Amino acid sequence: MAVNSADVKTSPNKNTMKKTITDSAAWKQLEQHFKQTQSQHMRDLFEANPDRYKDFHIQLDDILLDYSKNRITEETRQLLINLAKESGVEEWREKMFAGEHINVTEDRAVLHVALRNRCNKPMLVDGVDVMPDVNRVLDKMEIFSDSVRSGLLRGYNGERFKSIINIGIGGSDLGPQVVCESMKPFAQRGLNAYFVSNADSTHLQETLKQVEPESTLFVISSKSFTTQETMLNAVSAKKWFLDLVGGDKAIAKHFVAVTNNIEAATDFGITADNIYEIWDWVGGRYSLWSAIGLPIALYLGMDHFEELLDGAHVMDHHFKEAPLEENMPVIMAMLGVWYNNFHQSQSHAVMPYSQYLRRLPAYLQQLDMESNGKTIDREGERVEYLTGPIIWGEPGTNGQHAFFQLLHQGTKPVPADFIVPCISQSPMGNHHRVLVANCFAQTRALMHGKTTSEALDQMRDEGVSDDVIDELFAHKVFDGNKPTNTILFEKLTPKTLGSILALYEHKVFVQGVIWNINSFDQMGVEYGKELAGDIQGELSHRDETKNYDSSTNALINYRKDIYYNHFDRRDYDKDNK
Ligand code: G6Q
């Protein structure tokens, strides 16, 4: 399918006749194969091959990926792997691990794998081994988090820290947040972690209502230390703190920063000792493994943070070494390409059957959509095929009572990942068995559906009259043939979570290679950062705004009318009391 026609003309010097992935032999074979197999039903594939599960699953330590409930045959898998090979997945993977500047638009290496390089062998960026820096910052994080957790390091008046507030947004928020939320059972008693990101002061205000300044540690997380929302929240938090506590010297005990911009953090008033460094080869949405993970170390302890890194390292090693046919991230990526580019599905759902993983869909939304939501390829040309899907999801079983209807009987195909632990971290009665049963029942139903004869038999068994059957049976039929992956593991531990997050990182990487896009920049985010400045200026005075289109002018002026009238009336009421 061609994407919308271009407004943006690519450079006249570029070769508009260049060959793209859609011209490759592998792609053409997949197109052909799609035509031949699109009417196949998974029900029949399971019937024809009783060992289908055996042929379509991968296990890595305790993590099992069952991908047998996908609309594929062995031939499909082979053709998809051919496509991966022809697109240069193995070469690009080498380049990433070798620290080459694969983030071409920003001319940077992409080396988050070095942050969890637990075997500690040298990893180079521009010929320099980054491991000494990585280890130095990890050591500093360990000393600090141990001291806070043990009570050795306390607030300005000697009180123990009870609350950690991370102030950051996007990559400087979602990663540490998903880990802290998922790993609650491992948190230290009496220590709470909060995440403030939104420019809406409600977020900060409601958080501050829950804490005391004397026992609160603020972590200002911003790679650039210029992000508007983060700076707004950081300045307001500092003001709140100083208003209640007084005395600049207390700041040194209550504010730390994680950044690549040491100068700006110092200007903000954070002492050098309290600044944790990250590097330009760590992308925001890939940064939870760096000092951006400081709230994780504080909340869960450095030992658990290191287990998280260990888990990611296991997945990195698997991704690097396993043959593509047996490679979890590669298989998940290529299945995604199969649905995205051949079945033309527009979105991909993620359903964690674990309340602890409730923030995982939001985290994956950023990881995937910011990385692969691109239209221009690595050579600066507009692509003529679909790139990254819309990622969405909610924890099960809640989703079943909301949007699963569309998955079962809607007109839009939505491939989905179901993620579920075998053992609960918070066992209680029968809860977990019910949860797991629902998860397995959903993937089974989505695959199998309910045929006309099954629907009729069921209605007859229930004693429904023939008239009602005639009227209703069509509504009771489920097409099935809806693809799902199931990711099943023993228990949600830091190590398992580390592996799962790294699994998705590499899946996104492989898809970016197939689509020939740079998964590591985010011009859309940068654009957003530019936009608000002008309008903020317009909102700060009463004069009518005429600078924009009629819609934007009207919205600005409408808000001005209400806002300034509100304050005028308040002043009038006050003066006339
Ligand atoms: C992530 C993006 C973006 C970024 C935030 C925060 O990959 O770059 O989400 O993380 O905009 O940026 P700072 O960390 O610089 O404040």
Side-chain angles (χ1 to χ4, degrees):
M1 178 200 259
V3 295
N4 289 343
S5 67
D7 267 350
V8 181
K9 301 282 178 279
T10 47
S11 160
N13 300 324
K14 299 251 164 79
N15 172 16
T16 49
M17 298 305 288
K18 78 164 182 174
K19 291 224 182 305
T20 73
I21 189 61
T22 55
D23 300 308
S24 69
W27 189 283
K28 294 211 175 304
Q29 281 171 354
L30 276 162
E31 276 175 338
Q32 202 53 35
H33 178 71
F34 172 72
K35 281 187 199 142
Q36 289 157 359
T37 57
Q38 62 179 314
S39 57
Q40 262 177 4
H41 201 291
M42 279 191 273
R43 212 166 33 218
D44 302 325
L45 296 175
F46 271 95
E47 257 166 43
N49 176 10
D51 278 343
R52 185 169 167 82
Y53 160 76
K54 259 198 207 153
D55 295 339
F56 296 97
H57 79 272
I58 301 174
Q59 190 171 346
L60 177 63
D61 291 352
D62 68 315
I63 303 177
L64 169 71
L65 167 66
D66 171 17
Y67 66 99
S68 58
K69 292 192 184 88
N70 276 288
R71 297 178 63 175
I72 57 167
T73 61
E74 294 203 13
E75 189 188 356
T76 325
R77 179 173 56 198
Q78 194 49 56
L79 293 175
L80 288 167
I81 296 301
N82 293 350
L83 179 66
K85 288 191 173 148
E86 210 166 322
S87 311
V89 166
E90 289 150 310
E91 291 79 2
W92 281 99
R93 184 182 57 182
E94 280 304 306
K95 288 183 194 194
M96 176 171 75
F97 279 92
E100 285 188 34
H101 286 212
I102 60 169
N103 177 352
V104 283
T105 52
E106 295 177 322
D107 192 17
R108 287 178 186 164
V110 175
L111 210 58
H112 44 279
V113 289
L115 301 166
R116 63 250 185 156
N117 172 27
R118 307 300 289 160
C119 60
N120 223 356
K121 64 173 200 275
M123 294 197 87
L124 308 182
V125 172
D126 301 328
V128 178
D129 181 12
V130 297
M131 290 317 295
D133 273 346
V134 168
N135 292 326
R136 176 176 50 77
V137 174
L138 282 174
D139 288 346
K140 186 171 165 178
M141 286 167 70
E142 179 167 14
I143 294 168
F144 182 62
S145 55
D146 283 356
S147 309
V148 168
R149 289 163 61 82
S150 67
L152 191 67
L153 217 58
R154 294 175 177 232
Y156 75 97
N157 70 349
E159 237 188 86
R160 268 185 97 122
F161 287 112
K162 292 188 202 130
S163 310
I164 299 143
I165 300 185
N166 186 77
I167 296 183
I169 197 164
S172 302
D173 168 67
L174 288 161
Q177 193 188 143
V178 76
V179 176
C180 289
E181 177 72 28
S182 307
M183 294 290 108
K184 270 188 180 157
F186 298 87
Q188 175 160 306
R189 261 182 109 84
L191 204 54
N192 290 309
Y194 303 90
F195 289 83
V196 173
S197 52
N198 203 334
D200 184 345
S201 49
T202 309
H203 202 175
L204 180 62
Q205 295 238 30
E206 288 298 329
T207 306
L208 294 178
K209 279 183 198 166
Q210 302 174 64
V211 303
E212 308 285 342
E214 295 78 18
S215 56
T216 299
L217 179 67
F218 291 93
V219 181
I220 314 298
S221 286
S222 176
K223 185 174 164 188
S224 60
F225 228 78
T226 56
T227 303
Q228 193 183 32
E229 296 90 329
T230 301
M231 291 304 109
L232 204 58
N233 280 320
V235 167
S236 299
K238 187 171 156 191
K239 182 172 181 316
W240 171 85
F241 183 81
L242 287 175
D243 286 351
L244 290 172
V245 163
D248 270 333
K249 62 181 185 315
I251 292 286
K253 292 199 178 276
H254 290 261
F255 282 76
V256 301
V258 182
T259 189
N260 185 228
N261 187 349
I262 313 286
E263 206 184 322
T266 312
D267 288 350
F268 181 84
I270 295 180
T271 55
D273 278 359
N274 284 344
I275 297 176
Y276 293 79
E277 194 186 344
I278 55 171
W279 307 275
D280 72 354
W281 44 266
V282 183
R285 54 195 171 278
Y286 300 89
S287 65
L288 73 92
W289 323 98
S290 71
I292 292 287
L294 186 61
I296 304 174
L298 287 162
Y299 184 53
L300 304 177
M302 197 64 190
D303 49 344
H304 290 131
F305 183 66
E306 285 178 347
E307 281 173 32
L308 184 86
L309 301 182
D310 291 343
H313 183 59
V314 168
M315 188 55 73
D316 293 344
H317 182 75
H318 166 81
F319 175 54
K320 196 160 177 275
E321 303 298 335
L324 299 191
E325 295 78 356
E326 295 158 29
N327 197 307
M328 253 190 220
V330 173
I331 290 290
M332 282 178 60
M334 298 315 294
L335 287 168
V337 169
W338 177 233
Y339 297 121
N340 190 66
N341 297 96
F342 298 90
H343 288 259
Q344 309 293 336
S345 50
Q346 300 282 336
S347 79
H348 183 96
V350 181
M351 317 295 181
Y353 274 65
S354 160
Q355 187 63 17
Y356 285 128
L357 289 175
R358 73 186 178 90
R359 294 294 290 161
L360 184 67
Y363 168 80
L364 293 179
Q365 257 170 2
Q366 181 191 27
L367 174 66
D368 202 318
M369 294 168 77
E370 205 165 86
S371 297
N372 288 341
K374 313 273 164 73
T375 316
I376 302 296
D377 71 13
R378 282 202 199 93
E379 290 81 38
E381 307 262 353
R382 184 166 275 266
V383 297
E384 290 178 351
Y385 42 81
L386 291 177
T387 57
I390 297 159
I391 303 293
W392 60 284
E394 270 289 313
T397 58
N398 295 2
Q400 290 174 210
H401 300 264
F403 50 76
F404 269 52
Q405 168 60 38
L406 183 145
L407 302 191
H408 284 290
Q409 290 186 308
T411 51
K412 298 192 170 57
V414 184
D417 295 345
F418 284 66
I419 304 173
V420 61
C422 293
I423 300 171
S424 171
Q425 283 287 10
S426 36
M428 188 186 260
N430 221 4
H431 284 244
H432 199 251
R433 192 180 301 159
V434 170
L435 182 78
V436 175
N438 270 280
C439 174
F440 295 166
Q442 287 295 327
T443 58
R444 153 85 186 164
L446 286 163
M447 181 278 286
H448 183 88
K450 196 189 280 180
T451 61
T452 305
S453 63
E454 284 168 344
L456 286 174
D457 287 350
Q458 188 180 351
M459 290 175 96
R460 283 187 192 121
D461 288 350
E462 287 165 1
V464 180
S465 70
D466 284 352
D467 285 356
V468 175
I469 287 179
D470 281 350
E471 208 178 300
L472 286 189
F473 88 87
H475 298 277
K476 305 271 187 181
V477 171
F478 292 75
D479 291 340
N481 218 13
K482 319 279 186 193
T484 59
N485 293 314
T486 304
I487 298 173
L488 186 61
F489 48 90
E490 187 178 324
K491 237 180 174 182
L492 190 58
T493 62
K495 181 167 176 281
T496 308
L497 182 66
S499 293
I500 292 173
L501 298 180
L503 165 65
Y504 278 97
E505 283 181 351
H506 295 318
K507 171 197 162 180
V508 167
F509 170 85
V510 170
Q511 293 187 329
V513 172
I514 304 292
W515 295 321
N516 190 30
I517 51 180
N518 176 14
S519 301
F520 301 103
D521 64 7
Q522 53 284 312
M523 303 299 178
V525 182
E526 312 303 333
Y527 184 45
K529 288 183 182 184
E530 281 165 30
L531 283 176
D534 258 13
I535 293 187
Q536 204 184 307
E538 284 296 332
L539 288 169
S540 67
H541 61 77
R542 290 168 184 249
D543 301 342
E544 190 187 352
T545 292
K546 297 178 180 160
N547 298 344
Y548 306 99
D549 57 88
S550 64
S551 161
T552 309
N553 287 339
L555 295 170
I556 293 171
N557 291 324
Y558 188 87
R559 196 271 185 171
K560 281 194 208 191
D561 274 357
I562 292 192
Y563 180 82
Y564 289 112
N565 276 334
H566 170 78
F567 285 104
D568 288 350
R569 206 169 39 244
R570 219 175 56 168
D571 290 347
Y572 177 85
D573 289 349
K574 201 169 65 202
D575 294 345
N576 288 287
K577 264 209 177 125

